[in-house]
Amino acid sequence: MAQHGSVTAAARSLNYAQPSVSHHLARLEAETGATLTQRSGRGIRLTDAGRLLAGRAEEILGRLDAAERELAAHVEQRQERIRLAGFASALATIVPAALSRLAAGHPGIDLLLAEAEPPEAMRMLRAGQVDVALVSRHTQNGTPVGPPAVAEGARTRLILDEQIHLVTRPRHRGAQAASPPGGAQPRGGQPGSGQPGSGQPGGGQPGGGQPGSGQPGSGQPGSGAGPPDLATHAHSPWIAGCEHCRGHLIWLCQHAGFSPKIAFTTDDHVAAQALVAAGLGVTILPGLAINAARHPGIHAQPLPGACRQVLAVTYGQPPDPRAVDHLLDILTLAAAATATATGAGSRPPGGGSGAGAGAA
């Protein structure tokens, strides 16, 4: 009924007679001691208790399906299949590297991918539609910023801790960006440099020092005056991302003493960079988003203390299926290799599994 909107439609979907479905609903109300439906016009609708129970039922049925697949793979020794949901920049960077390692070391594992932002990925995980969710959360000086999104019962593994960057248009046409592609430094490293510009809409944007002062990919900082100051851009138009990224942007700007004027909103990191390169605003982006597809007309400077953690999340009681354990280990290795190759970030010493950590 929750899926189909009426008892009649639910009965038709199940190939049951309508009185039979009504009888089962009445028995369920008697067993739970809660009113699950109520009259609404000429039909009925779920109460709050009914919606709560329906949501849990979807989750339980999804987990049963997952258990059946795992048991069939064990008994019949079929090819093991893992379903992973993750956000776009992780699927474009960490995941391909992990897939290559997985194919080489564990050819019997089949990995299915779905692109989903963290809230949707967590919903899919709870419903048993995926086995692993790659999510993210923002931190400031190691403290999570924003509301948690990982549900109770979830278990997390820290995969990567990457730098957040201020992304602007270079001050001088043809100037090279001061930081490497993705531009991130390991936590605790020295931030990139660059002299802030005027920050006026349509005016000069912060540059990366003199042309050639820092070649992309070299890891050598430019000759700027220090870390960027967001307050310099208090009057600039801003480009915001998804709901959680936008919330982090607003939080950072408010702590710098102003509320950002958001001129554009896009979840597409390539589009956000193109808008910056066209002189239409400034934005903040994590290292993976820049590494996935870097626009040649941007300048990226690390924001001190501002990071994004990438977390691999599983659900339910341990242990995880063997194939899932393999994937988590390989994702961690692939993330470390990505960080080393591009400077996208680093996993803090001792980082590992945790229970119930938040994500954004």
Side-chain angles (χ1 to χ4, degrees), residues 184-204:
Q185 301 288 340
R187 287 188 68 176
Q190 294 299 318
S193 57
Q195 180 64 35
S198 66
Q200 299 297 328

Side-chain angles (χ1 to χ4, degrees), residues 215-236:
Q215 296 297 326
S218 69
Q220 297 299 320
S223 57
D229 181 6
L230 289 183
T232 304
H233 299 280
H235 302 291
S236 297

Side-chain angles (χ1 to χ4, degrees), residues 11 251 281 345 359:
W251 188 92

Side-chain angles (χ1 to χ4, degrees), residues 24 51 53-54 66 80 82 98 102 106 146 189 203 205 216 233 263 282 313 336 359:
H24 283 294
R51 284 190 291 272
L53 183 60
E80 294 179 281
I82 311 174
L102 192 67
H106 305 279
Q205 301 292 346
H233 299 280
V282 297
V313 188

Side-chain angles (χ1 to χ4, degrees), residues 163-326:
Q163 186 77 55
I164 299 293
H165 299 77
L166 173 66
V167 180
T168 62
R169 194 181 187 188
R171 177 190 298 176
H172 303 294
R173 187 176 298 276
Q176 299 288 339
S179 55
Q185 301 288 340
R187 287 188 68 176
Q190 294 299 318
S193 57
Q195 180 64 35
S198 66
Q200 299 297 328
Q205 301 292 346
Q210 297 302 318
S213 62
Q215 296 297 326
S218 69
Q220 297 299 320
S223 57
D229 181 6
L230 289 183
T232 304
H233 299 280
H235 302 291
S236 297
W238 284 83
I239 301 156
C242 68
E243 178 182 355
H244 295 284
C245 297
R246 182 165 63 253
H248 188 225
L249 165 63
I250 293 172
W251 188 92
L252 286 172
C253 291
Q254 288 178 342
H255 278 70
F258 70 97
S259 294
K261 183 182 75 173
I262 297 177
F264 302 95
T265 299
T266 175
D267 294 342
D268 190 329
H269 295 141
V270 175
Q273 293 182 58
L275 290 170
V276 171
L280 297 174
V282 297
T283 191
I284 61 171
L285 289 175
L288 289 182
I290 301 174
N291 285 324
R294 181 172 184 136
H295 195 290
I298 66 164
H299 176 69
Q301 291 176 280
L303 288 170
C307 294
R308 184 179 74 163
Q309 293 181 336
V310 180
L311 306 169
V313 188
T314 55
Y315 190 74
Q317 295 298 317
D320 290 317
R322 182 182 59 179
V324 171
D325 277 335
H326 286 326

Side-chain angles (χ1 to χ4, degrees), residues 71-213:
L71 183 60
H74 175 75
V75 172
E76 301 176 18
Q77 296 184 345
R78 298 187 314 190
Q79 183 180 41
E80 294 179 281
R81 175 172 293 179
I82 311 174
R83 300 154 303 157
L84 180 145
F87 52 93
S89 58
L91 293 184
T93 51
I94 297 172
V95 172
L99 278 175
S100 178
R101 291 170 179 258
L102 192 67
H106 305 279
I109 297 177
D110 182 22
L111 185 62
L112 301 181
L113 303 179
E115 182 179 336
E117 290 301 314
E120 175 64 12
M122 285 304 305
R123 189 198 68 78
M124 295 171 70
L125 183 67
R126 284 179 58 89
Q129 296 172 358
V130 296
D131 305 298
V132 180
L134 280 181
V135 302
S136 62
R137 67 178 175 190
H138 292 97
T139 63
Q140 187 67 30
N141 297 322
T143 301
V145 176
V150 169
E152 180 183 356
R155 290 176 290 114
T156 66
R157 180 184 294 196
L158 178 61
I159 298 298
L160 182 68
D161 202 7
E162 56 173 339
Q163 186 77 55
I164 299 293
H165 299 77
L166 173 66
V167 180
T168 62
R169 194 181 187 188
R171 177 190 298 176
H172 303 294
R173 187 176 298 276
Q176 299 288 339
S179 55
Q185 301 288 340
R187 287 188 68 176
Q190 294 299 318
S193 57
Q195 180 64 35
S198 66
Q200 299 297 328
Q205 301 292 346
Q210 297 302 318
S213 62

